Amino acid sequence: MEEFIPFNKPYMTGRELENIRLAHEKSHLSGNGAFSKECHSWLEAEIKCDRALLTHSCTAALEIAALLIDVKPGDEIIMPSFTFVSTANAFALRGAVPVFVDIREDTLNLDEKLIESAITSRTRAIVVVHYAGVACEMDVIKSIAHRHDLRVIEDSAQAIKAYYKGQPLGSVGDLGALSFHETKNIIAGEGGALLVNDASLAEQAEVIWEKGTDRNQYQRGEVEKYTWQGLGSSFLPGEVTAAFLMAQLSMSDWITENRLDTWSKYHQELLPLEESGFLRRPIVPNHCLHNAHMYFVLLPGDICRETVLKKLNASGINAVFHYVPLHDSPGGQRFGRLGSSLKNTEDQSSRLIRLPLWVGISDSQVMRVVETLGANLMNAKTRDRH
Ligand SMILES: *Cc1c(COP(=O)(O)O)cnc(C)c1O
């Protein structure tokens, strides 16, 4: 049996334990301590957002976003069906209706041309998902939102250190949400951040973040005592998590470059298979700078994906599929509705395979993935066609 190549391997920079030791020494273990503040400043400087607030997950950041724009039962939120559950669940929790719009054939991102016909008098916001760290068409989406007085929220879970026309993702909409889950580029085990770009929302964001109180203002000496101000919850991670995260953030350039090297290797080595019609590689528009969050391929319709995945896994290569479209899931059917045909969503989600990509994967491991995938696709094509 050949060496197993996992799909993901969390990368540790080596600085995490020292940071955690420092947090331990300072004896401030709850949220919003020195390391949290350092993470906030780092994110605000790097992403150029008005306010960054660490959360215990991207899911939590999206839940704050839903509270912050005061989503009411029956309000409609436009989003892709090709996304993770939390994009929709955060709004469904407030009684809102996710309205699923199809994705583009090239980037697998929300198709901006289909958004306007999904808008009704109940529509409140557009939630974009930058799939694989490749930006959605934000100029068009923002002008639609402006015309119809809608909020734009970026689910940037996969998109730290990725850019749209030079702007960091997460800083383009009214609000952004990052994830530091261990499957993402920059990790804290579980973790996330809310990014506030509309300064008028910053103070209210802090209140929701701190259990519905003005504790943040109190700590800055702006009020004499802190009290219950409105709806909120406990969204802060503790300092041990922030200490871990700060170690990762400080190495984020290196981590991103390392992932981009692996991504480019896949992209170069898979070109011949694309040219012979065995797969399609990812398409990254020129004005998008991605962060190598994932490397995926789309198989042709006449090749059985499940067989290919089974064969790859039997050869010790942990390749995986991705989203079951939300409109096709019990939750999506119960809480959402269709905002367009979902032809591309259904077609592409059924043909997609994600390949192993993590900091430390070797060129020879990448070559083994490419060669094993190629051999299986050629076999499958002969078999399935006869
Ligand atoms: C990972 C992910 C999330 C959820 O992130 P958590 O930090 O685990 O809550 C949400 N949306 C997208 C698009 C994701 O990829």
Side-chain angles (χ1 to χ4, degrees), residues 56-60 62 83-84 86-87 129 155 157-158 178-181 183-184 190-192 293 322-323:
H56 49 75
S57 62
C58 177
T59 303
L62 291 166
T83 182
F84 188 64
S86 299
T87 317
V129 178
D155 180 338
Q158 304 175 8
L178 297 176
S179 174
F180 303 117
H181 186 266
T183 52
K184 303 302 203 275
E190 300 277 354
H293 173 61
H322 211 182
Y323 304 128

Side-chain angles (χ1 to χ4, degrees), residues 338-369:
L338 306 192
S340 77
S341 131
L342 293 163
K343 184 165 63 69
N344 283 342
T345 301
E346 285 173 0
D347 174 46
Q348 308 218 11
S349 66
S350 71
R351 298 193 287 115
L352 189 143
I353 287 184
R354 291 180 293 160
L355 304 177
L357 196 170
W358 30 273
V359 174
I361 193 169
S362 67
D363 280 0
S364 65
Q365 285 172 314
V366 169
M367 284 315 295
R368 205 181 113 210
V369 175

Side-chain angles (χ1 to χ4, degrees), residues 208-227:
I208 295 167
W209 183 65
E210 266 285 16
K211 299 117 187 146
T213 73
D214 52 356
R215 187 156 190 258
N216 263 52
Q217 279 182 282
Y218 169 72
Q219 282 175 335
R220 286 195 296 259
E222 293 164 18
V223 290
E224 258 169 43
K225 52 188 184 311
Y226 71 88
T227 55

Side-chain angles (χ1 to χ4, degrees), residues 90 114 185 208 248:
L114 302 176
N185 288 21
I208 295 167
Q248 294 262 323

Side-chain angles (χ1 to χ4, degrees), residues 11 31 47 56 61 71 147-148 174 176 241 244 274 293 332:
Y11 173 70
I47 301 186
H56 49 75
V71 166
R147 269 204 302 286
H148 295 272
D174 296 299
T241 296
F244 188 105
E274 182 175 78
H293 173 61

Side-chain angles (χ1 to χ4, degrees), residues 74 117 133 136 145 256:
S117 54
C136 296
T256 308

Side-chain angles (χ1 to χ4, degrees), residues 220-286:
R220 286 195 296 259
E222 293 164 18
V223 290
E224 258 169 43
K225 52 188 184 311
Y226 71 88
T227 55
W228 189 18
Q229 301 288 317
L231 290 182
S233 191
S234 179
F235 288 114
L236 292 70
E239 273 291 283
V240 173
T241 296
F244 188 105
L245 178 63
M246 196 54 229
Q248 294 262 323
L249 291 174
S250 67
M251 291 279 284
S252 64
D253 283 332
W254 185 86
I255 291 171
T256 308
E257 277 161 32
N258 191 292
R259 296 182 71 101
L260 281 165
D261 283 348
T262 302
W263 195 98
S264 303
K265 175 100 184 143
Y266 272 126
H267 208 57
Q268 180 190 327
E269 299 296 340
L270 288 166
L271 176 63
L273 284 170
E274 182 175 78
E275 286 172 342
S276 355
F278 285 109
L279 52 78
R280 202 202 86 188
R281 299 178 306 159
I283 296 171
V284 181
N286 282 334

